[in-house]
Structures are given as structure tokens and as C-alpha cells.
Amino acid sequence: MTRLLACAAVLAMTTAAAAQTTEIVIHTGGAPTGEGSTYHNGMGQAVEEQLRELARPYGYEVRRVPSGGAVANANACAGETENICFGIGQGGIEYDAVNSGATQIVRDDLPGECAMAFTNEPRLPNWRSVVENARRVTFVVPEGSGSEAFIRKAFAAEPELQGIEPNFRYASGQEAIFEAVRGTRGAVGVFYAYPNPTDGMVNAAFDVGMTVMGILSPAVAEASDDFYLNRKAPYDLAWFGLGETRTVPAMCSKALLFAGDPSKLTDTWAQGDYAEFIAALKGMPEDAFVPQDGPLAGLMREVETLSEEYGVSEMVTDLEGQVSQRF
């Protein structure tokens, strides 16, 4: 019996060692389908384009996976042992998976994402009113998303919000989030991603008559140089001179590219390939992560031109002025 058990153990070890990694997965956002998500169709597509070129000699399949958001993406790569894993994330917030060393940040300069919100509530015309009524506001977010983490960070940092626990209602996917916003008095949908003024959740919220606002947090800005103010974060883009592009001031940060730990893969050859891919991605120019092809390629270039970025010291003064106003 002892001999049989020993043989079984050796066979199991041999089978594990022979397991071959055949896929590269990129966890993006926009669960459950990725539709309208710039994480998925913009930055995610750009990362896929680069990885397809890098992986071509090795024969890996490259696949984008819609997900719950930034925190979920970091956790997914932390737990991956079979596939090479990358994920899109949000700058300026803490990730347990990164702090533990299970996930690493490969890039912190992907195109900037912005904190924006939308509501059907007539008593909440702007972010100032959301702060003043924080105890009765419900924030609708995907569980485990960067949006949830950003709101928690703002509540922990802002003096006016000290001691208040944010109320969350979890929903995933545009229709589920809209249903929750419409069906809950005082609900505010939170969206932290690259602004997509021709598609995506904020644009769709505007199209159905919701109020769109930027999320502003002077205390968060003062404590971290990851954030900047974009006075022209667009949510509805006018083409061919028809009408005016609608924008809102919003706090933004550059997006992150996550990767897991190559040593966790069961395939030893893939471990080496993974390390090479990470090194190559670190050496690429910043514009490598704006897609060259696909539905959002031209749009992202247009939005990058439109955006205005302001550094920390100017931003804090600007945000304090805006948050103190009713407009």
C-alpha cells in the first residue's frame, strides 16, 4: 500500500509538471459582457494588441475577460496558477493583492481614468449635495470594484465625511446598475474608468436623462500625487461641430497594468515566458497602451487631446472651491 501511494504521488507530481499553459488572460472590466467598457474595449484592447505580438512566437491564445473591476482584477491575477494573467486597475487606491506581493504593478501610466457619478435624484444636483446628504445617499457600485474602493477612500479622508459609513448597493452590469439607481431614493451610480463620451455607462446615463457629476475629494488629492483634476472629463462628445461636447470636472488617475507572480505557474516554461512578457511591457512607450485598432482607438486619441490635467497643488485649491459651491 505504501508503495502504491508513493507511485501515485510521483505520478501526480509528473502530471502537474507536464501541465502546459496555453492562454494569456487579461481581466478588464465591464462585467458581464464588456460592452461599452473602455477598460475592456480601449485599454484592454491595447494591452491585447501588445501581448499578441509578444506571444506570437510562443503560440499562446490571448483572451480579454470582462470582470467586476480593479480590485477583482488584482485578486484574479494573485490567484492564477494555470494561465498567464494581466489585469487593468485604478491608480491611487490600495490593493491587498499588491501589498502582499501576490500581484505586481507592471505599468502605472495607462490612459487616465476619472471618478464620475450619475443619479435620478432631483435633490442631488452636484457632488456638494451628495457630500451634504451622505448619510442618506446609496452608492451603487460593482462589488470589489475600484469605484467602491475610491468612495471608501473619500469617506475615510474627507473631514465632512468622518465617522460616516458609506451605504453601498452592489450591482454588476449597466442595466442592473441603472435599475438600482432608478429604484432607490437617493441612489448615486459611481463609475471610475476612462471617460467614454460616445458609449459606456456615464454616456448612457446622460442619454436617459440622469444628472452626471464629477466626484471631487480635496483631502484625497492632498494626500496622494496619484490623482489629478481633469476639468474637461467628457461624457457626451459632439462630432462634426454639431452641438457642444459636455464635460464635467472630475478627479482622475492613470490606470494600472497588473500581472501575477510567474513563479506561481505550474508550467515552468510559461514562468520564463511570463517574466519576459512583463519585462517587455515595462519597456514600452506610454502611447503603446492607446489601441491602434478597434472601435475606441480614434475616440481615445480625441479624448486625450480634449482632457486638461492639473497637478496636486493647483488641484487641491481648485477642488476646495468647487466642492464648497452650489452650482
Side-chain angles (χ1 to χ4, degrees), residues 21-26 51-52 54-55 60-64 83-86 277:
T21 297
T22 59
E23 269 198 333
I24 299 172
V25 294
I26 307 163
L51 284 170
R52 282 195 184 281
L54 292 173
Y60 293 102
E61 291 293 319
V62 182
R63 182 166 58 94
R64 277 177 288 153
N83 297 311
I84 292 173
C85 180
F86 293 93
F277 298 156

Side-chain angles (χ1 to χ4, degrees), residues 134-157:
R135 294 183 187 276
R136 62 189 303 175
V137 169
T138 298
F139 296 96
V140 181
V141 296
E143 188 171 11
S145 65
S147 301
E148 178 188 358
F150 183 79
I151 292 297
R152 289 190 186 280
K153 184 165 186 168
F155 269 69

Side-chain angles (χ1 to χ4, degrees), residues 227-279:
F227 294 97
Y228 63 90
L229 173 65
N230 186 342
R231 283 203 184 100
K232 290 189 175 181
Y235 59 90
D236 183 66
L237 190 62
W239 295 100
F240 310 115
L242 300 174
E244 187 174 327
T245 296
R246 293 171 177 84
T247 65
V248 67
M251 280 185 69
C252 307
S253 63
K254 292 294 185 179
L256 309 176
L257 178 61
F258 298 124
D261 179 355
S263 68
K264 288 187 173 181
L265 294 182
T266 55
D267 182 350
T268 55
W269 285 20
Q271 290 176 12
D273 298 340
Y274 198 176
E276 288 182 15
F277 298 156
I278 289 170

